[in-house]
Amino acid sequence: MKIGGLDYSRPDFKTMFANYGLTAIAAISLDKSLLLLMAAIDNLGKGHFPKEMLHEYLKRHRKRPMGDLIKEVKKRMNIPPSLEANLEKARTDRNQIIHHFFVDEYETMVLPNGPTILSNKLRPVRDFFATVCSEVDKLIGLVSAELSKPKNEISHNVRKMLKGKWAV
């Protein structure tokens, strides 16, 4: 398919678009991990968290932007400064990739090797999102392990992470 003189059916364009899609999916995965962390914290000490309640919680909060999700997590828990910095960078990178990437990179994209250059730019961003997501997933694991416990039996490690009305 040609649009504006560019043949988007070329293999290098297909690879670039695949890398863009994988990068976007990695950003969405981070959004979902932040949501799951919020859900786990919000349900600590309640003894259980049925699948139906989780689905309703995720549905209710699914359209929140990454910046809001980060703020909500920071209200609920103390996160390590390195993770806080990585989340802020992820938010900035996500917004650039989703809202500006192809406009900002159009001049590169039209170069003969442009799609390859852009694929190479996207890979480290995707990997960064995956790394940050993994850090958040570790916190989900810590908190989720405590979900079935009454508030007075939640581990000291999780207790010291929580803050505000979520502190137990």
Side-chain angles (χ1 to χ4, degrees), residues 41-60:
I41 293 168
D42 288 354
N43 285 280
L44 273 172
K46 295 182 180 173
H48 68 292
F49 194 32
K51 183 171 54 172
E52 298 77 26
M53 285 178 58
L54 175 61
H55 289 298
E56 180 56 36
Y57 187 96
L58 296 176
K59 185 177 178 183
R60 195 169 54 247

Side-chain angles (χ1 to χ4, degrees), residues 52-119:
E52 298 77 26
M53 285 178 58
L54 175 61
H55 289 298
E56 180 56 36
Y57 187 96
L58 296 176
K59 185 177 178 183
R60 195 169 54 247
H61 295 284
R62 76 173 186 253
K63 293 190 178 186
R64 296 182 83 164
M66 185 182 282
D68 285 356
L69 297 173
I70 294 167
K71 285 179 193 171
E72 288 298 320
V73 167
K74 287 169 53 177
K75 281 183 195 175
R76 289 164 170 76
M77 74 183 317
N78 298 302
I79 58 176
S82 61
L83 177 56
E84 188 171 350
N86 283 343
L87 286 169
E88 185 55 33
K89 180 178 178 349
R91 183 193 65 77
T92 303
D93 288 355
R94 179 229 175 262
N95 289 341
Q96 197 282 327
I97 292 293
I98 300 300
H99 300 294
H100 306 287
F101 184 75
F102 286 112
V103 172
D104 291 351
E105 298 292 350
Y106 187 79
E107 289 179 18
T108 301
M109 188 169 66
V110 299
L111 296 171
N113 63 341
T116 302
I117 293 168
L118 296 182
S119 283

Side-chain angles (χ1 to χ4, degrees), residues 1 10 12 46 60 161:
M1 166 190 334
R10 287 183 3 213
D12 58 342
K46 295 182 180 173
R60 195 169 54 247
M161 286 192 278

